[in-house]
Amino acid sequence: MSTHRVFTQVRARSPRPPMRATCAVMACAYLTITMSASAAAPARKPAAPAIFSPATLARTDALLRKMSLDEKLGQLNQLFQFRRSSKLDGMVRDGKLGSVLFVADPVEINRLQHLAVEGSRWGIPLLFGSDVVHGHKTIFPVPIGLAASWDRGMVERVSAIAASEARADGIAWTFAPMVDIARDPRWGRIVEGAGEDAYLNAAMATAQVRGTQGPRLGTPDRLLATVKHFAGYGASEGGRDHDAANLSQAQLHNVYLPPFRAAVKAGVGSVMSAYMDLNDVPATGNRWLLRDVLRGLWGYGGFVVSDNNAVNDLVSHGFASDKRDAAVRAFKAGVNMEMASYVNAYTHLRAAVDKGAISVPEIDAAVRPILATKIQLGLFDHPYSDPAKAREIAAQAPAHQEEARIAAERSAVLLRNEGALLPLDRSIHRRIALIGPMAHARQDILGPWVFAHDPKDTVTVAEGLRAKLGDSAALAVAAGVQLKRDAPSPFESIFKEKDAPTWDAARAAGEFDHALALANNADVVILALGEKQDMIGESASRSTLALPGEQQRLMERVVALGKPVVLLLMNGRPLDLAWANTHVPAILELWYPGAQGGAAAANLLFGDASPGGKLPFTWPRNVGQIPLYYGHNLTQDPSEQDRRYWNEPSSPLFPFGYGLSYSTFAVTDLRLSKPTLLAGESLAASVVVENTGAVTADQVVQLYIHQRHGSASRPARELKGFERVTLRPAERKTVRFTLGPEELSYWSSATHSQVNEASTFDVWVGTDAQAALSATFQQQ
């Protein structure tokens, strides 16, 4: 969650850096028109369920009546602990902090919690938070990989496992899920979300919130979830992390806000406001977004935490005149708790109350959901981590690692398999060369945002293949090339496995030639290429999608040897595969598959698991096509959509939703339950999917729609349903979808309101965004 600027300030002083998530807010330029439009729009039922029980609220109100103003104000402050300090201890003891971040040691958590509980008149506990993004002790695939599974149930399960492990250590709050739409893969934080599509992002957000929090906030062994970054952060200019975003009202309402609304409907307990400018307004100072939309239109009852230092940074933005002004603006906008690295701007709120700029009832309203959250989580009754519970959860580690392997297998996407090279046959491929910098990359296989894992739990690709092959085949491994960032990562001090010293020119040439020699002596070559985990994530945007370093040259030289080649990718964004897609027969996308990624890779390569994942974004041919996404408008000449450039096709290399299998499938018999419906009604769509191949495998059936005419132009296609199914050879299954007001309505930039219009709708069902099986219906 930390920015490069804040991180570099503390890196020299602390082994554990501040984390920062950044996001954006609705435009002030749109404020007047949107507010007037929302008044005219049809009334919408609040999206949010009740987060707190009546008993929790009664207990909260009773506590509030007893607290002093200073005690209330203390609950609004949150700081990082980079190392033990007497200053922070004193703030905890004096009730000046409501939350502390990134304390990983359960013993230290209990020590601080004792200071808070025993130092408070009312025994108010701290809320300890951390970035449990894709695992805690057990590391699962990165979020973009989990999204590629298109498996809601699996995502919910792994989120629950991560929550149980973190809660056993005394952590009660995570800053996930990130639901920022990413349509520019140069943006490093694409790896933390679910890609380009609002519907898929909303589905993943719902699964993550339910897995993290359970059926209700306060479920035992679960965490408080945070949906971030509200909203538009993924649309930063040029894909440059932390730069401004400029989005139309239609894009905000139809693309960037729906995943947040889905998280709110799922009961998410906290929302993170953001750091960046969206249409010239910093999110943390936007009252319309945080109060009118989030709390008013959506009925949200939880609390808002700022991004790290985002309140202080209102001054840097040129939005607030000084830190006092920043504190009042953020508070008035609707930020309940301020996250900061060292100094909270909210320490100025007491003076604002004394001067009448903020009222005591306003303070009460801000503190209330924070206290209610602590009560609902059970922290007042059980504030300390329980060693017995920690041992109980630790005993489940083997089962958790098994879930990590399954998640990695279900996240993998088969992009190419000419000549059915995969799965490999051990009876034929007796000499195997595993070549590339990701072959034995223990840290990189995990991906970014990993803090509490034990490196010994990690299975590299080389280790997974050795365990799979045993004595049945000879495996030779070589890196061939070395990967380094041009500018060091600001997070490098937290990596548990440090990079080897940089090779000199002679070493680099020798390693390259050694890899080629091993490849030349093999029956098949597996190229393990991609990006190191510090080349993706926060402060890791790129101006190119080329394979970093000398990987492209290594690939071309290996292919020139004439051996069968499998390209095994480890990355979190689409890379330039135009050459590989022509010259490499098999390409398997692993993402950053987590601690059991090597075991999963071995199972996939040798057919003990069949890849069934699908792309959560459109894969461009090269960086010059960006932005490229399937849900574009038709424009005045749809027939020329794939010929916008004169020098090459403007179509993608791989479409959204794409992914091959070791089996084959037929999707047939598309039926709609009725040809016509009235606005507000629903209809059912069904298809039959059949496994027409020879192996049991998965297929993700996807439904897309298009509204032909209305008050505004609509995207050529929009995903509105999907289901992943497992079928045995010759097995058939009917898959059903529902299309109703939620799927058929949209926010119209012509009426400035949500509309559900009379029109003709096209429906396509298939296995990616280019599905051909179609039908139509009328809405009156």
Side-chain angles (χ1 to χ4, degrees):
M1 280 173 358
S2 71
T3 62
H4 182 103
R5 175 171 60 82
V6 174
F7 184 84
T8 52
Q9 292 173 350
V10 302
R11 181 172 51 182
R13 286 180 278 173
S14 168
R16 188 164 296 280
M19 299 292 108
R20 176 178 197 138
T22 50
C23 95
V25 73
M26 291 295 191
C28 218
Y30 292 152
L31 181 59
T32 303
I33 187 168
T34 309
M35 288 182 67
S36 63
S38 65
R44 213 190 276 182
K45 294 181 180 179
I51 296 174
F52 308 116
S53 69
T56 292
L57 294 177
R59 188 174 174 183
T60 301
D61 290 339
L63 177 59
L64 268 174
R65 287 191 291 269
K66 296 186 291 186
M67 293 172 65
S68 69
L69 177 59
D70 286 336
E71 288 170 333
K72 296 172 184 176
L73 290 170
Q75 293 299 305
L76 306 182
N77 295 319
Q78 179 188 75
L79 285 178
F80 292 85
Q81 177 178 283
F82 307 122
R83 60 188 177 200
R84 186 181 293 191
S85 79
S86 58
K87 178 182 177 182
L88 189 138
D89 282 3
M91 294 179 69
V92 170
R93 189 182 296 109
D94 295 341
K96 294 180 179 179
L97 286 178
S99 176
V100 175
L101 302 187
F102 292 100
V103 184
D105 180 10
V107 175
E108 178 64 7
I109 286 176
N110 277 349
R111 187 189 72 83
L112 288 171
Q113 195 70 287
H114 276 287
L115 291 178
V117 173
E118 294 164 11
S120 165
R121 288 195 301 163
W122 314 115
I124 301 175
L126 290 168
L127 183 57
F128 288 94
S130 185
D131 270 302
V132 184
V133 175
H134 56 108
H136 183 63
K137 296 293 181 62
T138 305
I139 306 304
F140 299 97
V142 290
I144 194 72
L146 292 173
S149 74
W150 295 57
D151 187 341
R152 301 173 179 89
M154 186 199 74
V155 172
E156 186 170 334
R157 287 195 303 276
V158 302
S159 298
I161 290 171
S164 69
E165 292 180 347
R167 192 64 188 268
D169 279 351
I171 296 166
W173 186 8
T174 179
F175 304 105
M178 190 199 87
V179 301
D180 296 303
I181 299 293
R183 292 183 165 180
D184 189 333
R186 294 174 297 181
W187 185 56
R189 299 193 76 171
I190 185 176
V191 71
E192 294 177 53
E196 72 180 51
D197 183 72
Y199 188 91
L200 181 60
N201 265 270
M204 294 297 112
T206 300
Q208 287 177 276
V209 169
R210 289 175 177 167
T212 300
Q213 292 188 170
R216 60 176 180 81
L217 184 64
T219 298
D221 303 327
R222 301 296 178 94
L223 302 177
L224 167 68
T226 306
V227 64
K228 64 182 186 183
H229 311 82
F230 196 35
Y233 179 34
S236 60
E237 293 173 338
R240 296 180 296 269
D241 204 9
H242 307 149
D243 270 8
N246 289 279
L247 294 166
S248 70
Q249 294 180 72
Q251 288 175 307
L252 285 166
H253 285 282
N254 292 322
V255 179
Y256 290 85
L257 288 181
F260 289 94
R261 186 166 181 260
V264 168
K265 291 175 69 175
V268 72
S270 63
V271 174
M272 181 176 285
S273 70
Y275 167 77
M276 57 168 283
D277 276 343
L278 176 62
N279 302 333
D280 301 333
V281 181
T284 300
N286 191 291
R287 181 184 178 94
W288 177 81
L289 181 69
L290 299 178
R291 292 193 183 274
D292 293 356
V293 174
L294 181 64
R295 294 188 176 93
L297 187 62
W298 294 354
Y300 180 64
F303 72 91
V304 174
V305 61
S306 78
D307 197 355
N308 185 35
N309 287 335
V311 177
N312 284 307
D313 289 338
L314 293 180
V315 181
S316 303
H317 279 285
F319 184 74
S321 59
D322 55 29
K323 290 187 177 180
R324 289 187 179 90
D325 184 34
V328 172
R329 285 186 180 227
F331 182 86
K332 289 283 192 178
V335 175
N336 301 73
M337 181 183 286
E338 180 199 2
M339 180 193 295
S341 297
Y342 293 111
V343 179
N344 291 100
Y346 271 18
T347 56
H348 296 290
L349 291 182
R350 176 60 194 250
V353 174
D354 293 342
K355 293 179 181 180
I358 295 173
S359 69
V360 173
E362 287 178 301
I363 296 294
D364 288 350
V367 176
R368 190 177 192 244
I370 296 172
L371 292 175
T373 297
K374 292 181 177 183
I375 292 170
Q376 187 99 357
L377 286 170
L379 293 177
F380 275 82
D381 302 315
H382 304 285
Y384 309 114
S385 62
D386 181 359
K389 173 58 72 173
R391 288 192 296 270
E392 177 188 329
I393 297 298
Q396 300 173 29
H400 293 178
Q401 293 293 337
E402 179 72 3
E403 286 285 356
R405 178 190 59 78
I406 293 170
E409 291 170 0
R410 294 181 71 78
S411 297
V413 181
L414 183 61
L415 297 176
R416 182 172 164 84
N417 196 21
E418 294 302 304
L421 175 58
L422 291 178
L424 299 176
D425 186 339
R426 272 178 279 193
S427 66
I428 299 174
H429 305 117
R430 303 298 300 273
R431 294 175 300 171
I432 300 169
L434 175 62
I435 306 296
M438 312 305 283
H440 200 53
R442 189 171 303 280
Q443 181 75 39
D444 294 319
I445 199 170
L446 302 176
W449 296 108
V450 172
F451 305 106
H453 73 292
D454 186 340
K456 295 193 297 295
D457 292 334
T458 302
V459 180
T460 68
V461 174
E463 291 168 341
L465 284 174
R466 285 198 176 101
K468 170 68 64 178
L469 296 171
D471 297 329
S472 66
L475 178 67
V477 182
V481 299
Q482 189 178 46
L483 299 184
K484 296 282 187 179
R485 279 178 51 138
D486 294 336
S489 167
F491 299 99
E492 64 182 6
S493 67
I494 67 172
F495 301 154
K496 294 191 176 184
E497 182 183 84
K498 303 305 177 184
D499 284 345
T502 302
W503 297 344
D504 60 20
R507 172 80 184 275
E511 295 284 352
F512 192 93
D513 291 342
H514 174 60
L516 290 180
L518 294 181
N520 194 43
N521 194 44
D523 298 321
V524 64
V525 181
I526 302 170
L527 280 171
L529 308 182
E531 293 181 303
K532 287 171 56 63
Q533 59 86 28
D534 65 351
M535 294 176 168
I536 194 81
E538 188 164 6
S539 298
S541 296
R542 296 182 65 200
S543 62
T544 175
L545 300 181
L547 284 163
E550 293 290 300
Q551 293 182 105
Q552 181 71 29
R553 185 167 74 94
L554 177 66
M555 176 168 58
E556 293 180 14
R557 290 290 300 276
V558 167
V559 169
L561 297 174
K563 306 287 184 175
V565 176
V566 177
L567 175 55
L568 198 65
L569 285 172
M570 212 175 294
N571 50 294
R573 57 160 66 91
L575 299 173
D576 189 338
L577 296 183
W579 188 91
N581 193 53
T582 301
H583 296 88
V584 179
I587 304 175
L588 181 62
E589 173 63 77
L590 275 188
W591 315 104
Y592 299 98
Q596 293 298 309
N603 284 346
L604 289 160
L605 289 169
F606 285 92
D608 294 312
S610 180
K614 301 287 186 175
L615 291 178
F617 48 64
T618 301
W619 197 298
R621 298 174 184 275
N622 59 57
V623 73
Q625 291 182 293
I626 296 170
L628 184 69
Y629 50 92
Y630 84 93
H632 56 78
N633 285 7
L634 289 174
T635 75
Q636 79 281 1
D637 193 357
S639 64
E640 291 293 312
Q641 184 63 45
D642 292 345
R643 296 187 290 274
R644 301 298 191 203
Y645 300 120
W646 63 262
N647 60 311
E648 66 176 348
S650 52
S651 58
L653 189 65
F654 305 114
F656 174 83
Y658 174 85
L660 303 175
S661 171
Y662 292 159
S663 192
T664 56
F665 295 87
V667 181
T668 60
D669 199 20
L670 172 57
R671 297 187 180 187
L672 304 181
S673 59
K674 49 188 172 183
T676 304
L677 72 161
L678 300 175
E681 293 181 341
S682 298
L683 64 78
S686 66
V687 294
V688 174
V689 55
E690 180 181 3
N691 185 340
T692 56
V695 298
T696 298
D698 286 11
Q699 183 59 270
V700 180
V701 185
Q702 304 160 39
L703 180 145
Y704 297 84
I705 68 167
H706 168 64
Q707 181 177 325
R708 290 189 183 179
H709 52 81
S711 60
S713 299
R714 301 302 299 132
R717 294 194 181 193
E718 295 179 279
L719 179 69
K720 293 298 180 180
F722 65 87
E723 183 177 342
R724 180 166 178 158
V725 296
T726 302
L727 297 175
R728 298 183 300 276
E731 185 179 5
R732 297 160 56 92
K733 180 178 180 178
T734 299
V735 178
R736 295 178 175 84
F737 305 96
T738 298
L739 291 173
E742 189 74 17
E743 292 76 27
L744 302 179
S745 65
Y746 70 99
W747 193 91
S748 170
S749 55
T751 66
H752 302 292
S753 64
Q754 195 77 12
V755 297
N756 191 359
E757 298 173 322
S759 186
T760 300
F761 287 82
D762 296 304
V763 178
W764 294 271
V765 182
T767 59
D768 60 44
Q770 296 179 353
L773 184 63
S774 65
T776 62
F777 68 89
Q778 304 290 325
Q779 179 166 266
Q780 297 178 347

